[in-house]
Amino acid sequence: MAGVSGCMKYSMFIFNFLFWVCGSIILGVSVWIRVSKDAQQELEIDSSLFAGVDLLIAVGSIIMVLGFLGCCGAIKESRCMLLLFFIGLLLILILQVTGGILGAVYRSQIEASLNTTFQASVNSLQSSTEESKKFQETFQKFEKMNECCGLLNGPADWGKNFFTLSENICKCERSLESTQLCALFKGRYVYVKPCGEVIINYLKNHLLIIMGIAFGLAVIEILGLGFSMSLYCQIQRK
């Protein structure tokens, strides 16, 4: 009977060990950010971003489990572990492809959902609660960095806070340089472009990069599926 290829076996082990290490790093950093107040303050992460951190914790955990199954399945020549690794990786690939198809089909709905999210953020800009104040401070830095104002309707998104919160809200520091960048609003020069437009343009401009990363991951996943099933079959024939 044919034996198990040593090259494939150890290649599979090394690949999944690196996979496991990546998962450990993602999980460790995500948990640290989630539980450490110092990390949240240093990275300027508020409660609105916790959902993304929780997602990274889930992704890191899944990668660690798959890496463990692949490593042990390869080195111990365990058909059960290799099969679980294959099924897990296949499910991820299917979800990835499904997500890409749904993203392309429901693109207009995604943009509408973004606008809904922006509207909720506009309410936070006009609020006076302590939680909203933290968001407002962070958003003012975003405005200054990207030379934009508000999210949907420019300075009007700030409501009464435009006058009561700070004189630097949406303040255009280049009013003498460009008339297209700035406009006069109730006695102040402010940035014309809404930040929602900046965010949407950023997502559109980086869509190609995201698609490239997704394609690269899909290729790696397909190679992992091929190696694991080949090794599984070799062990079965052994």
Side-chain angles (χ1 to χ4, degrees), residues 17-140:
F17 178 75
L18 295 174
F19 202 52
W20 181 84
V21 169
C22 289
S24 302
I25 293 171
I26 293 171
L27 179 61
V29 172
S30 302
V31 170
W32 172 64
I33 292 172
R34 190 68 174 83
V35 301
S36 172
K37 297 293 183 183
D38 294 334
Q40 291 167 17
Q41 291 176 358
E42 186 176 342
L43 298 172
E44 297 182 350
I45 293 174
D46 56 27
S47 57
S48 63
L49 297 176
F50 282 172
V53 177
D54 292 339
L55 179 62
L56 285 176
I57 291 173
V59 169
S61 302
I62 291 169
I63 290 174
M64 277 190 68
V65 170
L66 286 177
F68 173 79
L69 289 172
C71 277
C72 292
I75 207 70
K76 291 183 174 295
E77 299 183 9
S78 169
R79 290 169 57 201
C80 178
M81 285 185 172
L82 286 172
L83 186 60
L84 287 173
F85 172 82
F86 178 88
I87 293 170
L89 204 57
L90 182 61
L91 287 174
I92 290 174
L93 182 61
I94 291 170
L95 287 172
Q96 194 173 313
V97 172
T98 305
I101 293 171
L102 290 175
V105 172
Y106 296 102
R107 184 175 176 178
S108 59
Q109 284 89 331
I110 291 172
E111 289 185 6
S113 178
L114 270 176
N115 287 328
T116 303
T117 304
F118 291 158
Q119 187 58 55
S121 298
V122 166
N123 295 334
S124 296
L125 292 179
Q126 297 176 0
S127 176
S128 57
T129 63
E130 286 299 319
E131 187 176 349
S132 296
K133 285 180 180 178
K134 292 179 182 178
F135 172 74
Q136 290 161 4
E137 290 173 5
T138 304
F139 190 72
Q140 284 183 67

Side-chain angles (χ1 to χ4, degrees), residues 159-170:
K160 294 179 180 179
N161 285 338
F162 181 78
F163 300 100
T164 59
L165 196 62
S166 171
E167 293 182 358
N168 295 319
I169 291 175
C170 299

